[in-house]
Amino acid sequence: MDAMKKSSTKNHQIFVANWKMYTSADEEIRIGSENYDNFIDLARNPNHEIILCPSFLSLHTLSNIFKETPVQLGAQDCSEHNKGAFTGQVSAKSLKAAGCSYCIIGHSERRQFNAENNQQISLKFQHLLDQGIAPIVCVGENETEYQEHRALQVLEDQLKEIFSLMRSSKYTLRDLPICIAYEPIWAIGTGNVAQPEHLNTVFAWLANQTKNIDPSINWKFLYGGSVKANNAAWLKEIEYLDGFLIGGASLDFQEFEKIVYCTN
Ligand code: PGA
């Protein structure tokens, strides 16, 4: 299914499973196949959007497995280039052909371990829009920046180029979701979830920043960083939040299901 179709429904929540490099491609395919009916049941609910982001290697197979179902596939990254001599990279066009409707870009692990900068991330963003793939742009401050109350300043910096691209009205987006995932680095994989007061400030800021860019843009705001079954209920109460980017907890279907249904 296309990212555009379901997102036109208001009040639905987006659950992105970021499987990172936690397991092998075979195992990812096994998780998808063994839970085929379960994932479809979750995604069939009109209030849920379920997006699986496995490694590149299993993306095509999983997208074939879930073809013609409401379960959607996303990639964990894409190249900042269109095509050419870029060994080891995967283009947005190939992702589209592999059945991707979403793609994570600018994840803090890529910023940290692959030295990605905001300019590269904005190029990736443009290639995704050109292909009609919904981008999930990850932003977030580190522990020191958080302690020094500089989170919004960091976000402003990380989103500057994306916002100016969106202001330029160069793209015909129709309903394509433009997702911003706020993932404080100190919350990723640590068990430390950002507190409601901080999240309210950040998401209100995001809503305010994006409000005036172009009212027709389908902005979606996600939170990521130690989302688990035991904190999903209160996190869902955060104003302006449209869903979650879930790492470690998303590989265990039972845990993932509990997050989606808020049962603990
Ligand atoms: P986590 O990861 O849920 O394991 O903290 C989230 C992410 O990095 O996207």
Side-chain angles (χ1 to χ4, degrees):
M1 182 189 269
D2 238 328
M4 295 183 220
K5 290 186 190 147
K6 236 183 180 180
S7 297
S8 49
T9 329
K10 281 286 165 220
N11 295 328
H12 84 289
Q13 289 207 302
I14 303 172
F15 299 90
V16 185
N18 178 10
W19 290 352
K20 307 195 183 190
M21 202 181 74
Y22 276 129
T23 187
S24 63
D26 283 357
E27 182 65 10
E28 290 172 332
I29 293 164
R30 188 194 61 76
I31 295 170
S33 311
E34 280 182 5
N35 294 292
Y36 177 80
D37 292 326
N38 296 330
F39 278 124
I40 292 175
D41 278 351
L42 289 186
R44 212 175 256 143
N45 184 321
N47 291 326
H48 300 159
E49 192 148 337
I50 304 295
I51 301 142
L52 306 181
C53 299
S55 61
F56 284 134
L57 272 187
S58 64
L59 197 51
H60 196 222
T61 306
L62 280 164
S63 110
N64 277 334
I65 290 173
F66 287 105
K67 210 178 187 137
E68 314 296 335
T69 81
V71 176
Q72 300 180 74
L73 267 296
Q76 298 177 14
D77 185 38
C78 77
S79 175
E80 76 212 60
H81 305 286
N82 237 339
K83 63 193 269 190
F86 302 106
T87 304
Q89 301 197 27
V90 177
S91 69
K93 195 171 181 187
S94 295
L95 293 179
K96 184 72 182 180
C100 250
S101 35
Y102 282 82
C103 180
I104 299 169
I105 51 173
H107 193 283
S108 62
E109 285 149 16
R110 292 206 59 88
R111 291 177 191 262
Q112 187 184 350
F113 303 122
N114 298 72
E116 280 186 13
N117 60 39
N118 294 325
Q119 204 204 343
Q120 289 167 299
I121 294 160
S122 115
L123 289 169
K124 293 174 187 226
F125 182 85
Q126 295 175 65
H127 291 310
L128 292 174
L129 296 194
D130 286 341
Q131 293 301 323
I133 296 175
I136 302 172
V137 185
C138 299
V139 292
E141 79 286 357
N142 65 27
E143 170 99 58
T144 311
E145 291 158 343
Y146 172 71
Q147 297 296 352
E148 293 173 357
H149 305 286
R150 289 196 284 122
L152 297 184
Q153 194 189 318
V154 171
L155 265 51
E156 188 167 16
D157 216 43
Q158 291 173 331
L159 288 166
K160 205 183 303 164
E161 304 196 26
I162 303 279
F163 284 168
S164 84
L165 275 171
M166 289 291 84
R167 250 183 230 109
S168 72
S169 325
K170 182 177 136 199
Y171 297 96
T172 314
L173 298 166
R174 291 181 303 267
D175 258 346
L176 190 73
I178 304 295
C179 309
I180 299 176
Y182 172 58
E183 298 205 304
I185 297 170
W186 49 271
I188 297 175
T190 58
N192 301 326
V193 184
Q195 288 309 296
E197 200 187 329
H198 177 70
L199 292 177
N200 280 321
T201 307
V202 167
F203 286 101
W205 180 85
L206 278 173
N208 193 42
Q209 292 290 306
T210 49
K211 188 174 71 190
N212 299 322
I213 295 181
D214 174 352
S216 69
I217 295 173
N218 185 13
W219 297 103
K220 296 287 177 194
F221 306 127
L222 313 181
Y223 169 76
S226 296
V227 176
K228 305 265 186 287
N230 64 11
N231 54 33
W234 71 258
L235 280 168
K236 282 182 189 173
E237 298 299 316
I238 304 290
E239 206 178 350
Y240 304 113
L241 195 64
D242 298 299
F244 301 104
L245 181 49
I246 308 155
S250 68
L251 277 146
D252 173 348
F253 180 79
Q254 264 82 35
E255 178 80 5
F256 186 64
E257 184 180 38
K258 285 181 187 168
I259 293 171
V260 174
Y261 283 114
C262 269
T263 47
N264 186 14

